[in-house]
């Protein structure tokens, strides 16, 4: 397990937690002044009250929590948020209400999960031909054909 520096920007902020020993995502918590109600089809930008130092060569990927998405229809509006290693501002989570009714989120409720992942920064090399594969240029659904 790697140690990351994290800063509380709000004394009420809750540090990310892992739900189990083998969880990939650390839960992020809403840091609000009270309950927040999101109407169907609307988006709300939640504060977490936290800033962190993600190591160079890594990114923080913010995903939906399956329980919140399944039970309340709430998930990140941009599907997957990306927190770059050089960002030092507050971690914010934009949540969209996919359900057909108003949904309320309380202060301290788990709103998303963050996975810290390594990535490759690519240098693009323009070529005339690409290597051949069995799939080739087969597009959407091409590997599932009978």
């Amino acid at each position: 397990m790697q140690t990351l520096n994290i800063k509380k920007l709000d004394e009420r902020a809750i540090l990310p937690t892992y739900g189990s020993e083998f969880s990939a995502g650390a839960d992020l918590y809403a840091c609000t002044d009270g309950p927040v109600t999101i109407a169907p089809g609307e988006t709300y930008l939640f504060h977490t009250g936290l800033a962190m130092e993600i190591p160079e060569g890594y990114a923080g990927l913010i995903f939906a929590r399956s329980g919140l998405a399944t039970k309340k229809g709430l998930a990140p509006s941009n599907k997957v948020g990306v927190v770059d290693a050089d960002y030092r501002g507050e971690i914010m989570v934009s949540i969209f209400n996919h359900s057909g009714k108003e949904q309320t989120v309380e202060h301290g409720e788990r709103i998303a999960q963050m996975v810290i992942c390594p990535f490759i920064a690519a240098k693009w090399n323009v070529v005339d031909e690409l290597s051949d594969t069995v799939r080739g240029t087969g597009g959407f659904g091409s590997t599932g054909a009978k």
Side-chain angles (χ1 to χ4, degrees):
M1 184 172 284
Q2 189 167 352
T3 300
L4 299 182
N5 292 334
I6 193 163
K7 180 179 180 181
K8 280 190 164 191
L9 304 173
D10 185 312
E11 64 185 23
R12 301 169 301 153
I14 300 169
L15 295 180
T17 61
Y18 290 96
S20 73
E21 179 183 2
F22 299 109
S23 294
D27 291 328
L28 299 175
Y29 295 82
C31 188
T32 64
D33 291 328
V36 173
T37 300
I38 309 170
E42 290 194 350
T43 299
Y44 185 85
L45 187 60
F46 283 93
H47 291 262
T48 65
L50 301 171
M52 61 183 68
E53 289 180 21
I54 296 172
E56 185 178 328
Y58 290 79
L61 304 181
I62 299 176
F63 295 99
R65 289 195 68 258
S66 57
L68 193 65
T70 302
K71 294 174 185 172
K72 289 189 173 185
L74 300 177
S77 61
N78 56 341
K79 306 306 177 211
V80 177
V82 178
V83 181
D84 297 311
D86 58 350
Y87 178 67
R88 294 294 184 268
E90 182 176 9
I91 305 298
M92 306 279 282
V93 182
S94 177
I95 296 290
F96 180 79
N97 183 352
H98 293 274
S99 80
K101 61 180 185 174
E102 289 184 342
Q103 298 293 342
T104 301
V105 174
E106 304 283 341
H107 169 79
E109 190 169 341
R110 296 174 296 173
I111 53 171
Q113 58 182 322
M114 178 184 283
V115 178
I116 306 295
C117 295
F119 68 89
I120 297 171
K123 178 180 175 186
W124 307 106
N125 183 38
V126 178
V127 298
D128 292 328
E129 296 293 327
L130 299 175
S131 63
D132 248 348
T133 66
V134 172
R135 183 176 183 179
T137 59
F140 295 107
S142 65
T143 62
K146 292 186 178 184

